[in-house]
Amino acid sequence: MSSLPLADLVDLFLRFLMLSLLSIGGAMSTAPEMHRFLVAERGWLNDADFTTAIALAQAAPGPNVLFVPVLGFQVAGVVGAAAALLGILLPSTLLSLGVSRWGAQRRDAPAVRAFTAGLAPVSVGLVFATGWLLSLPFIAAPEHRLGALALIAATMAVTLKTRLAPIWMIVVGATVGALGGV
Amino acid sequence: MTPAAPDHPRPRSPLHLFIAFTVLALQGFGGVLAVAQRELVDRRRWMTREEFVDAYSVAQLLPGPNVVNLSLMLGDRFFGWRGAFAAISGMLFAPLVLVIVLAAGYNQLAGFPAVAGALRGMGAVAAGLILAMALKMLGTLRRNPLGPALCALLGLTTLVAVTVFRVPLAWVVIGLGTAGWCIARWCIARQEGARR
């Protein structure tokens, strides 16, 4: 964590402001783009920082969108967290307020139905891409590959086959990791 | 969203909304949606099950986190923009403070191998949760008017564009989203034509 020049903070805020309007299907669908911006383009964070932010937000209670202020916090402390959270929420929130008032009654119009139908496969593809990008650091590191892949597979199986709360899987993952299993 | 039936209980004030959403959010480990359904529909009865599904489908269609959009719509319905603000603040404030404290603590503890290992383990679980969620989302495409072949084509193109070619998200959503919308309009028009 380091302090960032004001110009860079404004840049971060504006970038997230734009991403907000693209976050159809949830903030997680913009994770690959945040990764591109923060890790590849600017080098403010590394792969491990990025994965940590998502893991922390998943481990803690509350909406998953909170990985966004954690990313901001890692880049520039509390000010960075505020810039990232306000950026990702302001446009989408104002738009949602407007649209939900304007007319839930138009939901059956063909153009609106086509909008949901056409965008759904793209959203699913984006969530798969996020899962892939989160798994990549483990697959790239030979010493962690086997344990991490086993944990990923076990989590998927438990999520799909049982109704167990995710917190227990997180606890198991943390324990296995702390004992050196990953 | 249709207004609640007159016999429905309602929150007493924006503060009441704020507290209810704080309680709800703090229970939501690994996702808030299921807890929101139980608290708002089953326990407090501020919405019917149908209203919840309605609000959620609209929330899903709009950009932004679904549960945040859902809080906003419910808050707005009871107390206008003050209610919307109270509900969103309740949903975000306490968990935000908690996760930032965790992140700050992590920066100091990261030197310990056990902590680094624990976080790596949690990261792997997080990746598994997202992949499982993606597989579950796959199931909702079954009723999509596009049909399985076009859905697979659009989804795989998105996946490859983002992971292999690292195309910026704006181009993916605008480009493939517009393509999907046009194809879906055509499919829906054709299906409705065939029904007549």
Side-chain angles (χ1 to χ4, degrees):
Chain A
M1 185 185 23
S2 56
S3 64
L4 213 61
L6 187 65
D8 282 341
L9 261 176
V10 171
D11 187 26
L12 176 99
F13 176 69
L14 291 177
R15 217 35 116 87
F16 281 38
L17 214 54
M18 184 198 75
L19 284 182
S20 176
L21 291 176
L22 298 174
S23 62
I24 293 165
M28 201 50 92
S29 66
T30 63
E33 179 66 11
M34 288 179 188
H35 182 275
R36 216 180 60 84
F37 174 61
L38 296 171
V39 180
E41 194 180 312
R42 294 306 170 97
W44 287 335
L45 300 177
N46 59 36
D47 273 332
D49 293 332
F50 196 86
T51 310
T52 300
I54 294 186
L56 279 173
Q58 297 260 346
N64 291 336
V65 65
L66 291 176
F67 80 92
V68 177
V70 175
L71 287 173
F73 181 78
Q74 288 171 324
V75 172
V78 174
V79 184
L85 184 63
L86 284 179
I88 200 68
L89 284 182
L90 265 182
S92 68
T93 302
L94 290 177
L95 183 74
S96 296
L97 195 59
V99 170
S100 75
R101 284 180 176 184
W102 172 73
Q105 69 265 38
R106 282 165 209 254
R107 213 170 310 135
D108 291 331
V112 177
R113 274 175 52 212
F115 182 73
T116 350
L119 230 71
V122 177
S123 304
V124 176
L126 286 174
V127 178
F128 270 110
T130 305
W132 170 249
L133 290 175
L134 286 182
S135 313
L136 209 56
F138 299 112
I139 295 164
E143 72 273 26
H144 302 312
R145 190 181 293 153
L146 212 64
L149 282 182
L151 214 46
I152 291 171
T155 305
M156 289 176 68
V158 170
T159 307
L160 293 172
K161 296 284 175 204
T162 73
R163 298 180 60 82
L164 189 72
I167 182 66
W168 301 117
M169 297 174 235
I170 302 266
V171 167
V172 170
T175 312
V176 171
L179 296 175
V182 181
Chain B
M1 202 165 23
T2 47
D7 59 325
H8 259 240
R10 349 173 352 124
R12 288 184 300 276
S13 62
L15 180 67
H16 191 197
L17 264 179
F18 176 83
I19 294 169
F21 274 90
T22 302
V23 169
L24 183 166
L26 286 176
Q27 292 178 71
F29 287 92
V32 183
L33 190 67
V35 183
Q37 207 271 344
R38 201 169 71 228
E39 285 279 317
L40 299 174
V41 178
D42 299 345
R43 295 196 46 231
R44 297 186 190 268
R45 296 193 294 121
W46 288 347
M47 312 173 87
T48 66
R49 192 167 295 173
E50 289 71 27
E51 284 167 351
F52 187 85
V53 172
D54 262 14
Y56 185 61
S57 26
V58 178
Q60 240 178 344
L61 187 145
L62 292 164
N66 298 336
V67 286
V68 173
N69 285 341
L70 191 79
S71 322
L72 171 111
M73 288 178 200
L74 188 70
D76 182 46
R77 193 176 83 185
F78 289 123
F79 300 109
W81 67 268
R82 281 161 60 235
F85 184 75
I88 293 184
S89 311
M91 180 64 94
L92 291 174
F93 185 69
L96 174 67
V97 171
L98 224 127
V99 80
I100 293 295
V101 168
L102 273 176
Y106 175 71
N107 285 334
Q108 278 148 27
L109 290 169
F112 294 96
V115 175
L119 257 293
R120 227 176 9 251
M122 286 160 71
V125 171
L129 286 173
I130 300 273
L131 286 171
M133 176 179 146
L135 285 175
K136 282 185 178 173
M137 286 175 79
L138 213 53
T140 67
L141 294 182
R142 210 167 291 147
R143 285 177 308 156
N144 195 299
L146 253 54
L150 283 171
C151 278
L153 182 70
L154 262 181
L156 283 174
T157 310
T158 305
L159 180 66
V160 170
V162 172
T163 57
V164 180
F165 298 106
R166 304 280 168 128
V167 179
L169 183 69
W171 298 117
V172 174
V173 172
I174 293 168
L176 292 172
T178 308
W181 185 61
C182 293
I183 299 169
R185 287 212 73 161
W186 180 73
C187 289
I188 289 172
R190 208 182 47 163
Q191 280 153 17
E192 282 180 353
R195 209 170 295 149
R196 272 186 209 119

